[in-house]
Amino acid sequence: MARHWRAGAAGAAVLGLALTACGGAKVGDDSAGSGESGKCGTFNLAVNPWVGYEADAAVVAYVAENDLKCKVNSKDLKEEIAWQGFGTGEVDAVLENWGHPDLKKKYITDQKTAVEAGSTGNKGIIGWYVPPWLAKAHPDILDYKNLNKYAAKFKTSESGGKGQLLDGDPSYVTNDEALVKNLKLDFKVVYAGSETALIQAFRKAEKNKEWVIGYFYEPQWFLSEVPLKKVALPAYKDGCDADAEKVACDYPEYDLDKIVSAKFAKSGSPAYDLVKNFNWTNDDQNTVAKYIAVDKMTPEAAAKKWVEANRAKVDAWIK
């Protein structure tokens, strides 16, 4: 999960043969659509670093391998890095794009190496959340205007005397540093480093009644375990986030979509039709993500369990 329309630390990295994919295959080993039209051949699938995306990728890869007889190369890549592979044949598909108008302009409009492939069916929400116990004890904390009143309660050894606002992986899309500044909040953004660390911080905060406020998002299986409460920021309006330095509004609701390489879209590969037709709900994704993150199933086993229980839905993707 995490996500979203501006990549951070990932931006400095460059795709290349030094990057390795899942299972040790090197990025760039194969490109899709090299065979006859209609035959799958190799399908290079980017896997971005949050478990919701891993759930998408697990199911699409399972169907591609078992129903379409594709050779799937699943590649662990952060968002912006994955998009760089569209023009080289190193990446065929990104399954869960959280907006990214900057990347769409660069790779779809300008370079024409990528094209949109429709909605996943998932609705994405990003925001600031607190554990349920805190929202119940201090209901007014769910309005950002009251956060400064409680800032001292959120102080940590890493927050420099201010309240800590905990973010996840630095590559996730976040406006949080600009929001803290522009809303004049006495907080400092501190990165947990990963989705797992963020989840653990919230879990611990709820269990021990600790003061934590942080970046989080939906769909996310963890919300069924600990129903975090969202803090109301100034309402989102079209264009309010156009200037990254001046953002002072909440995140928009994202209609999560799929992006594929232009070459892949014209390849005749049935894997492209699968990606284009792939569509499911937040509940579907959360189910598979929970199998992986909580039940400790392998992605393949999680996908198999879901596919066998939802065969009619899958058949509609490969009709």
Side-chain angles (χ1 to χ4, degrees), residues 118-170:
S119 173
T120 66
N122 296 130
K123 301 302 180 186
I125 297 170
I126 300 174
W128 295 357
Y129 292 76
V130 297
W133 83 265
L134 187 51
K136 184 176 181 180
H138 303 278
D140 63 334
I141 208 167
L142 297 181
D143 183 338
Y144 83 95
K145 293 176 183 176
N146 297 316
L147 289 178
N148 279 346
K149 181 169 75 172
Y150 297 107
K153 297 281 192 180
F154 292 103
K155 283 196 299 187
T156 71
S157 60
E158 298 179 68
S159 62
K162 298 184 176 184
Q164 175 178 278
L165 178 67
L166 194 64
D167 271 41
D169 185 317

Side-chain angles (χ1 to χ4, degrees), residues 24 31 40-41 99 113 130-131 206 293 305:
S31 59
C40 190
T113 57
V130 297
E206 177 63 13
K305 183 174 181 178

Side-chain angles (χ1 to χ4, degrees), residues 6 13 41 51 75 98 105 109 112 124 129 131 144-147 154 176 183 227 237 255 264 284 297 299:
R6 236 178 8 267
V51 72
K75 304 181 178 186
W98 286 67
K105 181 181 186 301
T109 306
K112 296 180 170 49
Y129 292 76
Y144 83 95
K145 293 176 183 176
N146 297 316
L147 289 178
F154 292 103
D176 289 354
L183 296 177
K237 295 179 181 176
D255 181 13
F264 182 58
D284 289 328
M297 297 175 70

Side-chain angles (χ1 to χ4, degrees), residues 4-302:
H4 332 307
W5 62 259
R6 236 178 8 267
V14 178
L15 262 178
L17 294 179
L19 288 174
T20 57
C22 297
K26 288 189 176 180
V27 174
D29 278 355
D30 298 285
S31 59
S34 55
E36 297 174 28
S37 178
K39 292 186 178 179
C40 190
T42 299
F43 172 30
N44 294 317
L45 179 60
V47 184
N48 292 162
W50 59 91
V51 72
Y53 190 117
E54 291 172 21
D56 297 339
V59 169
V60 169
Y62 182 85
V63 174
E65 289 176 339
N66 290 277
D67 289 272
L68 304 180
K69 307 307 177 187
C70 308
K71 176 188 175 186
V72 180
N73 285 338
S74 295
K75 304 181 178 186
D76 290 322
L77 299 168
K78 294 191 175 183
E79 289 166 284
E80 187 169 332
I81 308 304
W83 287 62
Q84 293 174 29
F86 287 138
T88 63
E90 295 170 275
V91 171
D92 295 321
V94 166
L95 293 179
E96 186 175 291
N97 169 55
W98 286 67
H100 284 295
D102 54 339
L103 298 181
K104 285 186 174 182
K105 181 181 186 301
K106 181 175 182 179
Y107 295 101
I108 296 177
T109 306
D110 297 343
Q111 294 186 10
K112 296 180 170 49
T113 57
V115 296
E116 296 175 326
S119 173
T120 66
N122 296 130
K123 301 302 180 186
I125 297 170
I126 300 174
W128 295 357
Y129 292 76
V130 297
W133 83 265
L134 187 51
K136 184 176 181 180
H138 303 278
D140 63 334
I141 208 167
L142 297 181
D143 183 338
Y144 83 95
K145 293 176 183 176
N146 297 316
L147 289 178
N148 279 346
K149 181 169 75 172
Y150 297 107
K153 297 281 192 180
F154 292 103
K155 283 196 299 187
T156 71
S157 60
E158 298 179 68
S159 62
K162 298 184 176 184
Q164 175 178 278
L165 178 67
L166 194 64
D167 271 41
D169 185 317
S171 74
Y172 291 175
V173 167
T174 172
N175 299 327
D176 289 354
E177 290 186 8
L179 283 167
V180 166
K181 178 182 175 183
N182 297 327
L183 296 177
K184 296 180 170 55
L185 298 175
D186 191 25
F187 282 75
K188 178 183 177 182
V189 174
V190 175
Y191 289 91
S194 69
E195 181 180 61
T196 301
L198 199 57
I199 286 171
Q200 186 55 32
F202 278 120
R203 180 184 281 131
K204 184 169 172 281
E206 177 63 13
K207 180 181 179 182
N208 299 332
K209 291 189 164 45
E210 297 171 353
W211 288 71
V212 170
I213 182 170
Y215 173 104
F216 212 69
Y217 37 85
E218 305 172 41
Q220 227 300 329
W221 63 267
F222 178 65
L223 295 175
S224 65
E225 177 188 329
V226 179
L228 303 177
K229 302 302 180 184
K230 191 171 184 290
V231 175
L233 297 174
Y236 178 84
K237 295 179 181 176
D238 284 345
C240 71
D241 54 358
D243 186 334
E245 299 299 319
K246 297 180 179 177
V247 175
C249 60
D250 209 342
Y251 295 85
E253 180 178 296
Y254 296 90
D255 181 13
L256 306 185
D257 63 345
K258 299 157 291 186
I259 310 294
V260 300
S261 79
K263 180 180 177 182
F264 182 58
K266 297 174 184 175
S267 69
S269 169
Y272 167 70
D273 295 324
L274 167 61
V275 170
K276 188 172 178 60
N277 293 333
F278 171 66
N279 188 278
W280 65 351
T281 67
N282 284 12
D283 285 344
D284 289 328
Q285 186 191 96
N286 286 340
T287 297
V288 178
K290 184 176 180 294
Y291 291 158
I292 296 169
V294 180
D295 300 340
K296 305 302 181 185
M297 297 175 70
T298 65
E300 183 177 14

